[in-house]
Amino acid sequence: MSKGSYPTKHQRNALILSIIPGLGQLYHKQYLKGISFLVLAASFFIVFRDLLNMGLWGLITLGEKPFRDHSVFLLVEGILALIVVVFGLGFYLFNLRDAYKNGQKRDEGERLSNIKEQYRNLIDNGFPYLIMSPGFLLLVFVVIFPILFVVLLAFTNYDLYHSPPAKLVDWVGFKNFLDIFKIDIWRQTFFSVLGWTLVWTFVATTFQVALGVFLAIIVNQKDVKGKAIIRTVFILPWAVPAFVSILVFAGMFNETFGTINKDIIAFFGIEPIKWMTEPLYTRIALIMIQSWLGFPFIFAMTTGVLQSIPEELYEAATVDGASSFQKFKNITLPLVLFATAPILITQYTFNFNNFNLIYLFNGGGPALPGSNAGGTDILISWIYRLTMTSAQYSKAAAITMLLSLIVISVALWQFKRTKSFQEEDMM
Amino acid sequence: MANAIIEFKSVTKQYDNDPPVLDDVSFEIERGKFYTLLGPSGCGKTTILRLIAGFTEASDGEIYFNNKITNHVPANKRQVNTVFQDYALFPHLNVFENVAFGLRIKKMKNAEIEQKVKEALSFVNLEGYENREIREMSGGQRQRVAIARAIVNEPEVILLDEPLSALDLKLRTEMQYELRELQRRLGITFIFVTHDQEEALAMSDEIFVINKGKIQQSGTPTDIYDEPINRFVADFIGESNIVTGKMVQDQLVEMVGKRFECVDGGFQSNEPVEIVIRPEDLEITTVERGKLQVKVDSQLFRGVHYEISSYDQDGNEWLVHSTKKAVVGEEIGLYFDPEAIHVMRFNETEEEFDKRLEAYTDGSGHGK
């Protein structure tokens, strides 16, 4: 039966009536539901009228008079208004759909559920949503709200010279993004920071992974005695809170008082190295520290994987005459990488955003002439510097978006490529 | 023996001061036959396999391969390949690469590898599966890949370590036929380890029944089934009714207070013995016609037959396989031929057992 071939037109009527929420339900003689929809819709408008009015106006104009209008607050109110509108629309669509569906039922001659059944229905089918809703609301205000704020901020000129309440903030479209690529100092800084971020991510992570895997394989050899103790010692760097270790390292690398320059290097008769003032040395120190901090986790994980590789695989390879190195290359390494690939990716993304180490070790420094980022600043610490020290809020927001773009796309691409996400029973 | 490809001479395997896993074991394996090492878990059968493969070394005794002592030859230098229990296929390589693994290690040319792998795969009926990933293969197919990987190296002996235990019943039966067939076609020696007596009986030319690190009995499947040497073998191979009795004289045995005619001989008079009668050799009949009178205790329908458990007046259990149904709780008679009785001496070695059989049976044999 095609639509509209029914003798009655309840479906259409209810849909049209439901343009005012509740009327469609009343038309279906579902009085309680209809009245509550009406009341809900009315109260929505009464309660939120001002917020919507003010918020949407503020969102569009970002204020018209300095001192009276605070642009950032208006932006926040605007986002809240947007969220409220989305909720309202959701409710409205639900109301339309409900009226339409019930109309269809009536057209087909089916009985509509009575109040008791509706209640049951709500409790049964709506239960998961009911349970989810507090978490969902929290999510909206804790995650989605700030993300929206940053995204919108990236399209304003909010910085030191456009700071409310004395000045207004304005929408500037893509100007921030264009500036980053067009203005020399921004472009140079952006690409040098991006370059170092990539080098840092790649080198530091690869070092820590290689070190962890290497040590795990060595310790896992059959004839190594005292495995438990060796493993415990190797896990220790993981057990100490990272920021404590970093601060201790920062002290050790101090150029004049640090034990590395004063004792260790001096012992070999080498001149003190400028760990904190020469960007290259700071970078080397950072990579060494991160390897030290990061390898225990890889070590522990690889040890677990190694122990789950069946001995028979090695025996089969022995029969075929494989040498120890061939066994390592053809069996151990591929299996370890297979099993740990997803976690290795998270290691790379972790270091990409490893703010702690960069900031705590040398504050992203040493400072570089002709650049508004420090010599070891990675994107994330540069953003911090822009917001906290030079009040370049809108630029920082724009860079944040660029950074997220990189992280998200790399992660997606890698996750899809890795076989570990397609198959579950590798071993 | 000239035809022996593998020979164990008084081989013992012992870890530290534990009781030996293998205790003074000697046997010979002939070229081109299908051997089965049969025994319960922990009996030492896998240890024998690992000794042959070279994964472990004997504590004592000599192992000969083609009449050359091979105790210390490394695994890859032996003309032996193993099919492992869980196949030990490399999960990150596809079927072709799994089979080619050994050849690649030997740095063979690509064209040659391709030809050999194709040949090996066609031997196990896996043509066209070269590019499949291992995880896409079913249990039976993985099994065949494992066999292909073993035969591609053209070994003289293939060792199979309970390779069928992970398969379901139907597939297992199918693979039994296939393995047997493959062994005939290849003409190389298979040494098969299992704890499944049916598998052993169905596939082997020769079975070694092993228990507690010693070979209990070796022989063809029929030999071992019809003439088990002792209680362990009788019990392990197939279902059996075992009762104690005594040999009044040759060809006359006493059990459950009655004397029965039998065909065994070579005993001292009134020697205490154990008597085996297979459940399928017992026939249900009336109480009057039966040689034994028993009371039916329980009954199970097994498909091909009923398995009836019954007890005589001495409390011995008698298991009967019959196509006829019995009534639980009823008294019935059991009839059997003199040939159905098999008498076992206590603590007889295999050598003595064989000698006695040769002397006192005129080839007519027992049972069916």
Side-chain angles (χ1 to χ4, degrees):
Chain A
M1 242 188 286
S2 67
K3 278 183 184 171
S5 60
Y6 305 107
T8 52
K9 290 272 181 276
H10 295 307
Q11 197 176 348
R12 191 200 59 196
N13 295 344
L15 188 62
I16 292 170
L17 279 172
S18 266
I19 288 172
I20 295 172
L23 289 191
Q25 284 73 16
L26 289 175
Y27 172 76
H28 291 320
K29 304 197 178 63
Q30 294 178 318
Y31 298 115
L32 189 68
K33 202 202 262 184
I35 288 167
S36 37
F37 274 26
L38 254 176
V39 170
L40 267 176
S43 39
F44 180 85
F45 279 108
I46 294 165
V47 172
F48 289 126
R49 207 185 60 187
D50 285 343
L51 176 74
L52 292 182
N53 236 341
M54 181 77 178
L56 294 179
W57 168 81
L59 192 59
I60 290 160
T61 60
L62 289 181
E64 281 162 348
K65 268 192 193 164
F67 294 106
R68 185 197 71 181
D69 304 332
H70 190 295
S71 301
V72 174
F73 292 165
L74 286 174
L75 185 61
V76 170
E77 270 182 64
I79 295 170
L80 286 178
L82 266 185
I83 292 172
V84 168
V85 166
V86 169
F87 275 124
L89 273 178
F91 167 73
Y92 191 66
L93 285 176
F94 175 75
N95 144 67
L96 288 180
R97 186 170 158 273
D98 179 73
Y100 182 80
K101 282 264 156 135
N102 281 329
Q104 198 176 4
K105 269 190 177 174
R106 281 179 74 191
D107 283 343
E108 285 168 0
E110 274 179 51
R111 194 180 57 87
L112 294 184
S113 26
N114 58 32
I115 291 184
K116 215 172 166 187
E117 284 164 342
Q118 284 171 30
Y119 173 75
R120 284 254 118 231
N121 216 349
L122 183 74
I123 295 297
D124 285 351
N125 296 333
F127 189 70
Y129 301 100
L130 201 68
I131 293 296
M132 253 166 35
S133 53
F136 181 71
L137 272 180
L138 201 69
L139 181 87
V140 166
F141 289 103
V142 174
V143 178
I144 298 182
F145 178 79
I147 289 178
L148 279 177
F149 186 70
V150 172
V151 169
L152 292 178
L153 211 56
F155 297 97
T156 66
N157 61 358
Y158 184 29
D159 59 21
L160 190 62
Y161 308 105
H162 301 86
S163 279
K167 297 274 168 43
L168 288 174
V169 178
D170 281 313
W171 293 114
V172 293
F174 284 92
K175 184 168 176 295
N176 287 317
F177 296 92
L178 293 176
D179 281 355
I180 291 170
F181 292 104
K182 271 165 84 182
I183 296 177
D184 280 347
I185 180 163
W186 282 105
R187 189 181 60 233
Q188 279 156 14
T189 312
F190 179 76
F191 282 109
S192 82
V193 170
L194 181 64
W196 160 238
T197 307
L198 294 179
V199 170
W200 152 255
T201 306
F202 187 74
V203 177
T205 317
T206 309
F207 258 53
Q208 77 189 45
V209 168
L211 188 64
V213 171
F214 175 74
L215 287 175
I217 288 170
I218 297 282
V219 175
N220 202 48
Q221 297 298 310
K222 261 193 225 133
D223 33 6
V224 173
K225 296 240 157 52
K227 283 184 183 151
I229 291 173
I230 299 177
R231 282 184 185 145
T232 314
V233 170
F234 279 153
I235 297 291
L236 279 179
W238 196 13
V240 181
F243 84 95
V244 176
S245 311
I246 297 167
L247 291 177
V248 170
F249 272 119
M252 283 169 67
F253 277 99
N254 185 298
E255 284 169 14
T256 33
F257 316 109
T259 184
I260 291 187
N261 270 0
K262 257 183 77 180
D263 302 324
I264 298 173
I265 286 182
F267 178 80
F268 294 103
I270 302 171
E271 287 290 295
I273 293 173
K274 295 176 174 170
W275 294 113
M276 296 302 200
T277 47
E278 189 70 48
L280 179 68
Y281 290 121
T282 318
R283 290 175 176 188
I284 291 173
L286 282 170
I287 288 171
M288 291 195 295
I289 295 168
Q290 182 53 35
S291 304
W292 190 84
L293 286 172
F295 89 85
F297 175 64
I298 306 287
F299 173 81
M301 193 176 61
T302 311
T303 301
V305 175
L306 285 175
Q307 286 170 348
S308 73
I309 298 178
E311 185 59 30
E312 285 187 345
L313 289 187
Y314 294 105
E315 287 182 352
T318 311
V319 174
D320 289 334
S323 64
S324 300
F325 178 71
Q326 281 169 321
K327 283 184 216 166
F328 168 74
K329 195 187 78 178
N330 292 321
I331 303 175
T332 313
L333 201 60
L335 287 180
V336 166
L337 291 184
F338 258 125
T340 56
I343 294 169
L344 294 189
I345 295 165
T346 60
Q347 293 293 300
Y348 280 92
T349 41
F350 173 80
N351 271 340
F352 190 84
N353 280 336
N354 193 344
F355 177 79
N356 278 2
L357 178 56
I358 303 285
Y359 183 74
L360 289 178
F361 184 65
N362 200 11
L368 286 183
S371 163
N372 55 17
T376 59
D377 263 330
I378 55 174
L379 285 173
I380 190 88
S381 64
W382 186 35
I383 291 166
Y384 178 83
R385 187 190 287 264
L386 287 178
T387 31
M388 301 312 281
T389 53
S390 52
Q392 302 267 15
Y393 307 110
S394 58
K395 284 280 192 315
I399 294 167
T400 305
M401 282 182 68
L402 291 175
L403 178 139
S404 325
L405 217 64
I406 297 170
V407 175
I408 291 170
S409 46
V410 169
L412 272 182
W413 172 73
Q414 269 282 21
F415 277 124
K416 281 195 121 172
R417 248 194 38 159
T418 329
K419 280 199 169 163
S420 318
F421 281 86
Q422 295 153 14
E423 56 199 280
E424 274 136 32
D425 54 341
M426 272 298 294
M427 282 191 274
Chain B
M1 213 185 295
N3 217 9
I5 186 165
I6 296 172
E7 193 179 350
F8 272 47
K9 274 194 184 156
S10 306
V11 174
T12 298
K13 176 74 189 173
Q14 194 165 12
Y15 293 100
D16 301 328
N17 289 322
D18 297 342
V21 189
L22 279 185
D23 190 2
D24 193 19
V25 167
S26 303
F27 61 84
E28 279 179 5
I29 287 189
E30 284 173 41
R31 199 177 293 274
K33 279 193 177 178
F34 199 118
Y35 285 86
T36 299
L37 308 180
L38 176 65
S41 351
C43 72
K45 56 190 193 301
T46 300
T47 309
I48 294 182
L49 217 60
R50 296 178 67 82
L51 283 169
I52 298 176
F55 296 141
T56 177
E57 284 192 15
S59 319
D60 201 11
E62 289 99 53
I63 300 167
Y64 292 89
F65 196 94
N66 280 333
N67 300 317
K68 270 187 235 125
I69 197 154
T70 50
N71 282 35
H72 305 293
V73 175
N76 57 313
K77 294 272 159 42
R78 303 185 182 198
Q79 288 298 308
V80 173
N81 236 302
T82 308
V83 175
F84 292 91
Q85 185 165 12
D86 300 315
Y87 320 139
L89 298 174
F90 304 115
H92 55 290
L93 301 178
N94 64 17
V95 170
F96 184 93
E97 288 304 323
N98 259 288
V99 179
F101 188 85
L103 306 179
R104 290 215 192 282
I105 295 286
K106 288 184 194 123
K107 301 234 162 20
M108 220 173 251
K109 285 206 189 77
N110 267 336
E112 205 175 341
I113 290 178
E114 188 145 332
Q115 184 231 329
K116 284 191 178 230
V117 171
K118 286 244 158 89
E119 206 177 280
L121 285 175
S122 78
F123 245 113
V124 294
N125 298 323
L126 279 180
E127 301 106 325
Y129 285 86
E130 286 86 356
N131 294 321
R132 290 277 188 102
E133 294 293 325
I134 293 304
R135 76 194 132 83
E136 295 167 344
M137 308 286 276
S138 69
Q141 289 171 330
R142 287 181 198 196
Q143 171 76 75
R144 283 187 240 178
V145 176
I147 294 169
R149 196 175 62 181
I151 63 179
V152 79
N153 293 302
E154 295 166 2
E156 292 190 54
V157 178
I158 290 187
L159 309 175
L160 302 108
D161 187 6
E162 308 213 17
L164 305 184
S165 57
L167 306 179
D168 63 60
L169 184 65
K170 219 158 170 122
L171 206 55
R172 198 152 65 209
T173 324
E174 216 171 280
M175 283 306 293
Q176 287 171 11
Y177 279 104
E178 266 189 51
L179 273 181
R180 185 69 235 225
E181 172 58 26
L182 189 70
Q183 189 266 332
R184 289 214 178 100
R185 267 190 290 155
L186 290 167
I188 55 180
T189 313
F190 273 43
I191 303 177
F192 187 91
V193 159
T194 184
H195 60 259
D196 183 334
Q197 42 99 8
E198 268 180 56
E199 221 164 76
L201 292 175
M203 298 167 71
S204 328
D205 290 317
E206 192 113 352
I207 298 176
F208 293 153
V209 184
I210 302 165
N211 191 31
K212 293 185 181 152
K214 278 184 180 294
I215 294 185
Q216 303 287 322
Q217 188 174 9
S218 59
T220 64
T222 40
D223 280 350
I224 287 181
Y225 189 81
D226 291 339
E227 278 145 23
I229 187 171
N230 57 24
R231 194 186 187 101
F232 172 79
V233 176
D235 205 32
F236 197 75
I237 311 275
E239 306 267 15
S240 10
N241 297 300
I242 305 173
V243 292
T244 49
K246 74 178 181 206
M247 209 64 191
V248 181
Q249 62 188 65
D250 284 356
Q251 276 90 37
L252 192 65
V253 68
E254 187 182 301
M255 61 173 176
V256 208
K258 286 183 188 172
R259 289 182 178 197
F260 298 94
E261 197 189 325
C262 67
V263 293
D264 295 271
F267 298 90
Q268 286 150 17
S269 67
N270 288 329
E271 182 183 341
V273 289
E274 280 180 309
I275 295 126
V276 183
I277 304 179
R278 297 286 183 188
E280 67 271 19
D281 291 336
L282 292 170
E283 222 175 284
I284 295 177
T285 176
T286 56
V287 177
E288 300 78 48
R289 284 195 56 217
K291 288 188 174 181
L292 269 175
Q293 283 70 43
V294 294
K295 194 173 175 198
V296 178
D297 182 63
S298 62
Q299 171 171 263
L300 282 179
F301 179 56
R302 290 278 190 190
V304 281
H305 55 68
Y306 288 96
E307 184 172 288
I308 300 150
S309 160
S310 57
Y311 289 89
D312 62 21
Q313 76 256 17
D314 289 0
N316 297 313
E317 190 189 7
W318 292 91
L319 214 55
V320 185
H321 288 172
S322 166
T323 47
K324 278 186 247 161
K325 210 172 165 177
V327 180
V328 174
E330 209 169 71
E331 289 268 342
I332 53 169
L334 294 178
Y335 179 81
F336 45 86
D337 294 325
E339 290 81 24
I341 296 179
H342 172 68
V343 182
M344 302 183 299
R345 245 177 164 167
F346 285 102
N347 302 320
E348 196 172 28
T349 66
E350 215 186 338
E351 238 166 76
E352 293 161 357
F353 175 75
D354 288 342
K355 233 184 237 168
R356 183 168 62 78
L357 278 196
E358 258 169 57
Y360 285 89
T361 50
D362 43 4
S364 63
H366 291 72
K368 4 183 184 349

